[in-house]
mmCIF file of all heavy atoms in Angstrom:
data_model
loop_
_atom_site.group_PDB
_atom_site.id
_atom_site.type_symbol
_atom_site.label_atom_id
_atom_site.label_comp_id
_atom_site.label_asym_id
_atom_site.label_seq_id
_atom_site.Cartn_x
_atom_site.Cartn_y
_atom_site.Cartn_z
ATOM 1 N N PHE A 1 -34.924 6.321 60.937
ATOM 2 C CA PHE A 1 -35.759 6.596 59.769
ATOM 3 C C PHE A 1 -36.648 5.407 59.440
ATOM 4 O O PHE A 1 -37.776 5.572 58.969
ATOM 5 C CB PHE A 1 -34.880 6.901 58.558
ATOM 6 C CG PHE A 1 -34.254 8.264 58.543
ATOM 7 C CD1 PHE A 1 -34.252 9.074 59.660
ATOM 8 C CD2 PHE A 1 -33.660 8.746 57.394
ATOM 9 C CE1 PHE A 1 -33.666 10.332 59.648
ATOM 10 C CE2 PHE A 1 -33.076 9.998 57.352
ATOM 11 C CZ PHE A 1 -33.075 10.795 58.479
ATOM 12 N N ASP A 2 -36.147 4.197 59.660
ATOM 13 C CA ASP A 2 -36.894 3.008 59.261
ATOM 14 C C ASP A 2 -38.191 2.832 60.040
ATOM 15 O O ASP A 2 -39.062 2.073 59.615
ATOM 16 C CB ASP A 2 -36.025 1.758 59.424
ATOM 17 C CG ASP A 2 -35.359 1.363 58.127
ATOM 18 O OD1 ASP A 2 -35.495 2.100 57.139
ATOM 19 O OD2 ASP A 2 -34.690 0.314 58.093
ATOM 20 N N MET A 3 -38.328 3.496 61.163
ATOM 21 C CA MET A 3 -39.567 3.376 61.923
ATOM 22 C C MET A 3 -40.608 4.389 61.499
ATOM 23 O O MET A 3 -41.744 4.343 61.957
ATOM 24 C CB MET A 3 -39.274 3.544 63.407
ATOM 25 C CG MET A 3 -38.448 2.421 63.976
ATOM 26 S SD MET A 3 -38.207 2.667 65.721
ATOM 27 C CE MET A 3 -37.469 4.284 65.710
ATOM 28 N N HIS A 4 -40.223 5.304 60.622
ATOM 29 C CA HIS A 4 -41.110 6.406 60.293
ATOM 30 C C HIS A 4 -41.898 6.098 59.023
ATOM 31 O O HIS A 4 -41.329 5.699 58.016
ATOM 32 C CB HIS A 4 -40.294 7.686 60.086
ATOM 33 C CG HIS A 4 -41.046 8.929 60.376
ATOM 34 N ND1 HIS A 4 -42.073 9.368 59.564
ATOM 35 C CD2 HIS A 4 -40.953 9.832 61.368
ATOM 36 C CE1 HIS A 4 -42.557 10.496 60.065
ATOM 37 N NE2 HIS A 4 -41.904 10.797 61.153
ATOM 38 N N PRO A 5 -43.223 6.261 59.039
ATOM 39 C CA PRO A 5 -44.019 6.026 57.828
ATOM 40 C C PRO A 5 -43.584 6.944 56.693
ATOM 41 O O PRO A 5 -42.967 7.987 56.901
ATOM 42 C CB PRO A 5 -45.451 6.355 58.284
ATOM 43 C CG PRO A 5 -45.425 6.210 59.767
ATOM 44 C CD PRO A 5 -44.049 6.627 60.190
ATOM 45 N N ALA A 6 -43.926 6.565 55.474
ATOM 46 C CA ALA A 6 -43.568 7.335 54.289
ATOM 47 C C ALA A 6 -44.050 8.771 54.417
ATOM 48 O O ALA A 6 -45.153 9.037 54.886
ATOM 49 C CB ALA A 6 -44.165 6.695 53.038
ATOM 50 N N THR A 7 -43.209 9.688 53.994
ATOM 51 C CA THR A 7 -43.565 11.103 54.020
ATOM 52 C C THR A 7 -42.795 11.811 52.927
ATOM 53 O O THR A 7 -41.725 11.357 52.513
ATOM 54 C CB THR A 7 -43.243 11.747 55.386
ATOM 55 O OG1 THR A 7 -43.554 13.152 55.328
ATOM 56 C CG2 THR A 7 -41.777 11.590 55.736
ATOM 57 N N ASP A 8 -43.341 12.926 52.450
ATOM 58 C CA ASP A 8 -42.601 13.717 51.475
ATOM 59 C C ASP A 8 -41.937 14.924 52.139
ATOM 60 O O ASP A 8 -41.428 15.812 51.459
ATOM 61 C CB ASP A 8 -43.511 14.182 50.328
ATOM 62 C CG ASP A 8 -44.720 14.975 50.820
ATOM 63 O OD1 ASP A 8 -44.703 15.437 51.975
ATOM 64 O OD2 ASP A 8 -45.681 15.124 50.047
ATOM 65 N N ASP A 9 -41.899 14.933 53.458
ATOM 66 C CA ASP A 9 -41.269 16.023 54.205
ATOM 67 C C ASP A 9 -40.051 15.485 54.928
ATOM 68 O O ASP A 9 -40.151 14.888 56.001
ATOM 69 C CB ASP A 9 -42.267 16.623 55.207
ATOM 70 C CG ASP A 9 -41.672 17.798 55.984
ATOM 71 O OD1 ASP A 9 -40.511 18.168 55.717
ATOM 72 O OD2 ASP A 9 -42.369 18.322 56.866
ATOM 73 N N LEU A 10 -38.872 15.684 54.364
ATOM 74 C CA LEU A 10 -37.641 15.147 54.926
ATOM 75 C C LEU A 10 -37.373 15.686 56.324
ATOM 76 O O LEU A 10 -36.786 14.992 57.164
ATOM 77 C CB LEU A 10 -36.458 15.475 54.003
ATOM 78 C CG LEU A 10 -35.088 14.932 54.404
ATOM 79 C CD1 LEU A 10 -35.110 13.417 54.507
ATOM 80 C CD2 LEU A 10 -34.024 15.397 53.427
ATOM 81 N N ASP A 11 -37.816 16.914 56.603
ATOM 82 C CA ASP A 11 -37.549 17.503 57.915
ATOM 83 C C ASP A 11 -38.155 16.674 59.045
ATOM 84 O O ASP A 11 -37.639 16.678 60.166
ATOM 85 C CB ASP A 11 -38.088 18.933 57.980
ATOM 86 C CG ASP A 11 -37.295 19.901 57.119
ATOM 87 O OD1 ASP A 11 -36.135 19.573 56.792
ATOM 88 O OD2 ASP A 11 -37.834 20.959 56.757
ATOM 89 N N THR A 12 -39.253 15.980 58.775
ATOM 90 C CA THR A 12 -39.885 15.205 59.842
ATOM 91 C C THR A 12 -38.972 14.081 60.324
ATOM 92 O O THR A 12 -39.074 13.642 61.463
ATOM 93 C CB THR A 12 -41.219 14.598 59.383
ATOM 94 O OG1 THR A 12 -40.974 13.651 58.326
ATOM 95 C CG2 THR A 12 -42.166 15.664 58.885
ATOM 96 N N TYR A 13 -38.079 13.611 59.460
ATOM 97 C CA TYR A 13 -37.176 12.538 59.866
ATOM 98 C C TYR A 13 -36.180 13.012 60.927
ATOM 99 O O TYR A 13 -35.632 12.209 61.672
ATOM 100 C CB TYR A 13 -36.408 11.994 58.661
ATOM 101 C CG TYR A 13 -37.258 11.270 57.658
ATOM 102 C CD1 TYR A 13 -37.194 11.588 56.301
ATOM 103 C CD2 TYR A 13 -38.142 10.271 58.050
ATOM 104 C CE1 TYR A 13 -37.964 10.916 55.371
ATOM 105 C CE2 TYR A 13 -38.927 9.599 57.118
ATOM 106 C CZ TYR A 13 -38.826 9.932 55.782
ATOM 107 O OH TYR A 13 -39.597 9.267 54.867
ATOM 108 N N PHE A 14 -35.918 14.309 60.947
ATOM 109 C CA PHE A 14 -34.945 14.849 61.893
ATOM 110 C C PHE A 14 -35.603 15.546 63.088
ATOM 111 O O PHE A 14 -34.929 16.138 63.917
ATOM 112 C CB PHE A 14 -34.002 15.827 61.180
ATOM 113 C CG PHE A 14 -33.074 15.149 60.211
ATOM 114 C CD1 PHE A 14 -33.302 15.228 58.855
ATOM 115 C CD2 PHE A 14 -31.999 14.407 60.670
ATOM 116 C CE1 PHE A 14 -32.456 14.593 57.961
ATOM 117 C CE2 PHE A 14 -31.147 13.769 59.786
ATOM 118 C CZ PHE A 14 -31.374 13.868 58.424
ATOM 119 N N ASP A 15 -36.924 15.474 63.141
ATOM 120 C CA ASP A 15 -37.653 16.010 64.295
ATOM 121 C C ASP A 15 -38.005 14.833 65.188
ATOM 122 O O ASP A 15 -38.992 14.135 64.975
ATOM 123 C CB ASP A 15 -38.912 16.747 63.828
ATOM 124 C CG ASP A 15 -39.656 17.399 64.990
ATOM 125 O OD1 ASP A 15 -39.287 17.135 66.158
ATOM 126 O OD2 ASP A 15 -40.611 18.153 64.726
ATOM 127 N N TRP A 16 -37.192 14.613 66.231
ATOM 128 C CA TRP A 16 -37.342 13.406 67.033
ATOM 129 C C TRP A 16 -38.665 13.353 67.779
ATOM 130 O O TRP A 16 -39.118 12.285 68.169
ATOM 131 C CB TRP A 16 -36.189 13.280 68.011
ATOM 132 C CG TRP A 16 -34.836 13.048 67.422
ATOM 133 C CD1 TRP A 16 -33.655 13.404 67.990
ATOM 134 C CD2 TRP A 16 -34.471 12.391 66.191
ATOM 135 N NE1 TRP A 16 -32.591 13.018 67.195
ATOM 136 C CE2 TRP A 16 -33.071 12.391 66.080
ATOM 137 C CE3 TRP A 16 -35.202 11.806 65.157
ATOM 138 C CZ2 TRP A 16 -32.383 11.830 65.005
ATOM 139 C CZ3 TRP A 16 -34.519 11.254 64.069
ATOM 140 C CH2 TRP A 16 -33.140 11.270 64.004
ATOM 141 N N ASP A 17 -39.327 14.490 67.961
ATOM 142 C CA ASP A 17 -40.637 14.461 68.610
ATOM 143 C C ASP A 17 -41.641 13.640 67.813
ATOM 144 O O ASP A 17 -42.585 13.069 68.368
ATOM 145 C CB ASP A 17 -41.177 15.886 68.790
ATOM 146 C CG ASP A 17 -40.450 16.644 69.892
ATOM 147 O OD1 ASP A 17 -39.782 15.975 70.712
ATOM 148 O OD2 ASP A 17 -40.541 17.871 69.910
ATOM 149 N N ASN A 18 -41.430 13.561 66.507
ATOM 150 C CA ASN A 18 -42.344 12.790 65.661
ATOM 151 C C ASN A 18 -42.230 11.290 65.898
ATOM 152 O O ASN A 18 -43.082 10.531 65.446
ATOM 153 C CB ASN A 18 -42.061 13.067 64.180
ATOM 154 C CG ASN A 18 -42.434 14.480 63.781
ATOM 155 O OD1 ASN A 18 -43.333 15.067 64.364
ATOM 156 N ND2 ASN A 18 -41.724 15.029 62.811
ATOM 157 N N TYR A 19 -41.187 10.871 66.609
ATOM 158 C CA TYR A 19 -40.947 9.447 66.776
ATOM 159 C C TYR A 19 -41.644 8.868 67.995
ATOM 160 O O TYR A 19 -41.687 7.671 68.167
ATOM 161 C CB TYR A 19 -39.439 9.172 66.873
ATOM 162 C CG TYR A 19 -38.748 9.263 65.541
ATOM 163 C CD1 TYR A 19 -38.437 10.495 64.987
ATOM 164 C CD2 TYR A 19 -38.435 8.128 64.815
ATOM 165 C CE1 TYR A 19 -37.822 10.590 63.762
ATOM 166 C CE2 TYR A 19 -37.824 8.209 63.583
ATOM 167 C CZ TYR A 19 -37.507 9.449 63.063
ATOM 168 O OH TYR A 19 -36.910 9.532 61.845
ATOM 169 N N ARG A 20 -42.186 9.693 68.827
ATOM 170 C CA ARG A 20 -42.730 9.176 70.086
ATOM 171 C C ARG A 20 -43.842 8.158 69.856
ATOM 172 O O ARG A 20 -43.989 7.215 70.612
ATOM 173 C CB ARG A 20 -43.230 10.350 70.934
ATOM 174 C CG ARG A 20 -42.056 11.173 71.481
ATOM 175 C CD ARG A 20 -42.514 12.391 72.250
ATOM 176 N NE ARG A 20 -41.366 13.139 72.753
ATOM 177 C CZ ARG A 20 -41.443 14.373 73.217
ATOM 178 N NH1 ARG A 20 -42.610 14.994 73.244
ATOM 179 N NH2 ARG A 20 -40.372 14.992 73.657
ATOM 180 N N ALA A 21 -44.603 8.351 68.790
ATOM 181 C CA ALA A 21 -45.680 7.407 68.498
ATOM 182 C C ALA A 21 -45.251 6.330 67.506
ATOM 183 O O ALA A 21 -46.014 5.440 67.193
ATOM 184 C CB ALA A 21 -46.887 8.153 67.926
ATOM 185 N N ASP A 22 -44.015 6.437 67.014
ATOM 186 C CA ASP A 22 -43.589 5.552 65.936
ATOM 187 C C ASP A 22 -42.561 4.520 66.380
ATOM 188 O O ASP A 22 -42.046 3.777 65.551
ATOM 189 C CB ASP A 22 -42.968 6.371 64.801
ATOM 190 C CG ASP A 22 -43.979 7.294 64.148
ATOM 191 O OD1 ASP A 22 -45.178 6.963 64.161
ATOM 192 O OD2 ASP A 22 -43.574 8.334 63.645
ATOM 193 N N LEU A 23 -42.225 4.483 67.649
ATOM 194 C CA LEU A 23 -41.157 3.600 68.100
ATOM 195 C C LEU A 23 -41.685 2.184 68.316
ATOM 196 O O LEU A 23 -41.584 1.627 69.390
ATOM 197 C CB LEU A 23 -40.539 4.140 69.395
ATOM 198 C CG LEU A 23 -39.878 5.519 69.274
ATOM 199 C CD1 LEU A 23 -39.305 5.943 70.612
ATOM 200 C CD2 LEU A 23 -38.806 5.522 68.224
ATOM 201 N N GLY A 24 -42.241 1.612 67.265
ATOM 202 C CA GLY A 24 -42.827 0.290 67.404
ATOM 203 C C GLY A 24 -42.334 -0.702 66.394
ATOM 204 O O GLY A 24 -42.979 -1.720 66.174
ATOM 205 N N GLY A 25 -41.216 -0.431 65.756
ATOM 206 C CA GLY A 25 -40.664 -1.367 64.791
ATOM 207 C C GLY A 25 -40.542 -0.760 63.414
ATOM 208 O O GLY A 25 -40.973 0.367 63.158
ATOM 209 N N ILE A 26 -39.930 -1.501 62.511
ATOM 210 C CA ILE A 26 -39.713 -1.016 61.165
ATOM 211 C C ILE A 26 -41.050 -0.790 60.467
ATOM 212 O O ILE A 26 -41.942 -1.640 60.515
ATOM 213 C CB ILE A 26 -38.858 -2.017 60.368
ATOM 214 C CG1 ILE A 26 -37.485 -2.185 61.025
ATOM 215 C CG2 ILE A 26 -38.689 -1.569 58.922
ATOM 216 C CD1 ILE A 26 -36.630 -3.250 60.375
ATOM 217 N N ASP A 27 -41.191 0.351 59.824
ATOM 218 C CA ASP A 27 -42.406 0.632 59.079
ATOM 219 C C ASP A 27 -42.591 -0.433 58.002
ATOM 220 O O ASP A 27 -41.659 -0.735 57.245
ATOM 221 C CB ASP A 27 -42.290 2.016 58.429
ATOM 222 C CG ASP A 27 -43.498 2.342 57.588
ATOM 223 O OD1 ASP A 27 -44.587 2.497 58.150
ATOM 224 O OD2 ASP A 27 -43.352 2.398 56.350
ATOM 225 N N PRO A 28 -43.773 -1.048 57.912
ATOM 226 C CA PRO A 28 -43.976 -2.143 56.957
ATOM 227 C C PRO A 28 -43.671 -1.766 55.516
ATOM 228 O O PRO A 28 -43.199 -2.592 54.739
ATOM 229 C CB PRO A 28 -45.458 -2.488 57.139
ATOM 230 C CG PRO A 28 -45.793 -2.031 58.516
ATOM 231 C CD PRO A 28 -44.951 -0.811 58.764
ATOM 232 N N GLN A 29 -43.935 -0.512 55.151
ATOM 233 C CA GLN A 29 -43.684 -0.089 53.775
ATOM 234 C C GLN A 29 -42.184 -0.108 53.467
ATOM 235 O O GLN A 29 -41.776 -0.455 52.349
ATOM 236 C CB GLN A 29 -44.250 1.317 53.561
ATOM 237 C CG GLN A 29 -44.383 1.706 52.101
ATOM 238 C CD GLN A 29 -45.156 3.002 51.922
ATOM 239 O OE1 GLN A 29 -45.460 3.702 52.878
ATOM 240 N NE2 GLN A 29 -45.449 3.335 50.675
ATOM 241 N N ARG A 30 -41.376 0.227 54.456
ATOM 242 C CA ARG A 30 -39.924 0.202 54.253
ATOM 243 C C ARG A 30 -39.406 -1.234 54.206
ATOM 244 O O ARG A 30 -38.579 -1.572 53.351
ATOM 245 C CB ARG A 30 -39.241 0.984 55.373
ATOM 246 C CG ARG A 30 -39.512 2.469 55.311
ATOM 247 C CD ARG A 30 -38.958 3.208 56.533
ATOM 248 N NE ARG A 30 -39.218 4.624 56.399
ATOM 249 C CZ ARG A 30 -38.420 5.478 55.769
ATOM 250 N NH1 ARG A 30 -37.313 5.043 55.213
ATOM 251 N NH2 ARG A 30 -38.729 6.749 55.677
ATOM 252 N N ALA A 31 -39.886 -2.055 55.125
ATOM 253 C CA ALA A 31 -39.463 -3.454 55.106
ATOM 254 C C ALA A 31 -39.828 -4.115 53.785
ATOM 255 O O ALA A 31 -39.040 -4.876 53.204
ATOM 256 C CB ALA A 31 -40.099 -4.204 56.271
ATOM 257 N N GLU A 32 -41.006 -3.800 53.288
ATOM 258 C CA GLU A 32 -41.455 -4.357 52.013
ATOM 259 C C GLU A 32 -40.573 -3.860 50.873
ATOM 260 O O GLU A 32 -40.248 -4.610 49.940
ATOM 261 C CB GLU A 32 -42.912 -3.966 51.769
ATOM 262 C CG GLU A 32 -43.532 -4.575 50.528
ATOM 263 C CD GLU A 32 -43.997 -6.008 50.732
ATOM 264 O OE1 GLU A 32 -43.832 -6.546 51.843
ATOM 265 O OE2 GLU A 32 -44.515 -6.587 49.768
ATOM 266 N N LEU A 33 -40.160 -2.590 50.921
ATOM 267 C CA LEU A 33 -39.300 -2.040 49.877
ATOM 268 C C LEU A 33 -37.982 -2.799 49.807
ATOM 269 O O LEU A 33 -37.532 -3.171 48.714
ATOM 270 C CB LEU A 33 -39.035 -0.554 50.133
ATOM 271 C CG LEU A 33 -37.964 0.073 49.241
ATOM 272 C CD1 LEU A 33 -38.407 0.073 47.774
ATOM 273 C CD2 LEU A 33 -37.621 1.484 49.712
ATOM 274 N N TYR A 34 -37.352 -3.037 50.952
ATOM 275 C CA TYR A 34 -36.062 -3.723 50.947
ATOM 276 C C TYR A 34 -36.204 -5.128 50.363
ATOM 277 O O TYR A 34 -35.359 -5.575 49.577
ATOM 278 C CB TYR A 34 -35.485 -3.787 52.364
ATOM 279 C CG TYR A 34 -35.319 -2.437 53.023
ATOM 280 C CD1 TYR A 34 -35.505 -2.284 54.397
ATOM 281 C CD2 TYR A 34 -34.986 -1.307 52.284
ATOM 282 C CE1 TYR A 34 -35.356 -1.045 55.006
ATOM 283 C CE2 TYR A 34 -34.845 -0.065 52.887
ATOM 284 C CZ TYR A 34 -35.040 0.058 54.248
ATOM 285 O OH TYR A 34 -34.904 1.278 54.855
ATOM 286 N N ARG A 35 -37.266 -5.808 50.736
ATOM 287 C CA ARG A 35 -37.472 -7.160 50.213
ATOM 288 C C ARG A 35 -37.772 -7.126 48.714
ATOM 289 O O ARG A 35 -37.313 -7.995 47.959
ATOM 290 C CB ARG A 35 -38.614 -7.837 50.973
ATOM 291 C CG ARG A 35 -38.284 -8.072 52.448
ATOM 292 C CD ARG A 35 -39.523 -8.429 53.243
ATOM 293 N NE ARG A 35 -39.238 -8.476 54.676
ATOM 294 C CZ ARG A 35 -40.157 -8.446 55.618
ATOM 295 N NH1 ARG A 35 -41.443 -8.379 55.297
ATOM 296 N NH2 ARG A 35 -39.808 -8.488 56.898
ATOM 297 N N LEU A 36 -38.528 -6.127 48.282
ATOM 298 C CA LEU A 36 -38.839 -5.992 46.865
ATOM 299 C C LEU A 36 -37.567 -5.735 46.055
ATOM 300 O O LEU A 36 -37.392 -6.307 44.968
ATOM 301 C CB LEU A 36 -39.831 -4.849 46.658
ATOM 302 C CG LEU A 36 -40.282 -4.596 45.223
ATOM 303 C CD1 LEU A 36 -41.118 -5.762 44.710
ATOM 304 C CD2 LEU A 36 -41.071 -3.288 45.133
ATOM 305 N N CYS A 37 -36.693 -4.881 46.571
ATOM 306 C CA CYS A 37 -35.438 -4.594 45.865
ATOM 307 C C CYS A 37 -34.608 -5.863 45.711
ATOM 308 O O CYS A 37 -34.057 -6.122 44.629
ATOM 309 C CB CYS A 37 -34.635 -3.533 46.617
ATOM 310 S SG CYS A 37 -35.285 -1.858 46.434
ATOM 311 N N GLU A 38 -34.519 -6.645 46.769
ATOM 312 C CA GLU A 38 -33.755 -7.883 46.653
ATOM 313 C C GLU A 38 -34.420 -8.838 45.672
ATOM 314 O O GLU A 38 -33.745 -9.470 44.850
ATOM 315 C CB GLU A 38 -33.602 -8.535 48.023
ATOM 316 C CG GLU A 38 -32.853 -9.845 47.972
ATOM 317 C CD GLU A 38 -31.780 -9.974 49.034
ATOM 318 O OE1 GLU A 38 -31.309 -8.950 49.556
ATOM 319 O OE2 GLU A 38 -31.422 -11.106 49.331
ATOM 320 N N ALA A 39 -35.735 -8.940 45.720
ATOM 321 C CA ALA A 39 -36.439 -9.862 44.832
ATOM 322 C C ALA A 39 -36.329 -9.425 43.370
ATOM 323 O O ALA A 39 -36.236 -10.271 42.469
ATOM 324 C CB ALA A 39 -37.909 -9.955 45.237
ATOM 325 N N ARG A 40 -36.329 -8.110 43.114
ATOM 326 C CA ARG A 40 -36.265 -7.601 41.741
ATOM 327 C C ARG A 40 -34.826 -7.333 41.291
ATOM 328 O O ARG A 40 -34.607 -6.844 40.183
ATOM 329 C CB ARG A 40 -37.073 -6.303 41.627
ATOM 330 C CG ARG A 40 -38.559 -6.459 41.918
ATOM 331 C CD ARG A 40 -39.295 -7.168 40.799
ATOM 332 N NE ARG A 40 -40.731 -7.262 41.057
ATOM 333 C CZ ARG A 40 -41.624 -6.348 40.683
ATOM 334 N NH1 ARG A 40 -41.229 -5.273 40.022
ATOM 335 N NH2 ARG A 40 -42.907 -6.522 40.958
#
């Protein structure tokens, strides 16, 4: 899930075909969220 950009469609997280273009590391928005939570 962490490699997938933000979406409001939960089903896309379980459709592995959507990951073929996304297997390049943690999505920056998610990484930023985790750091923001720790900072706040």
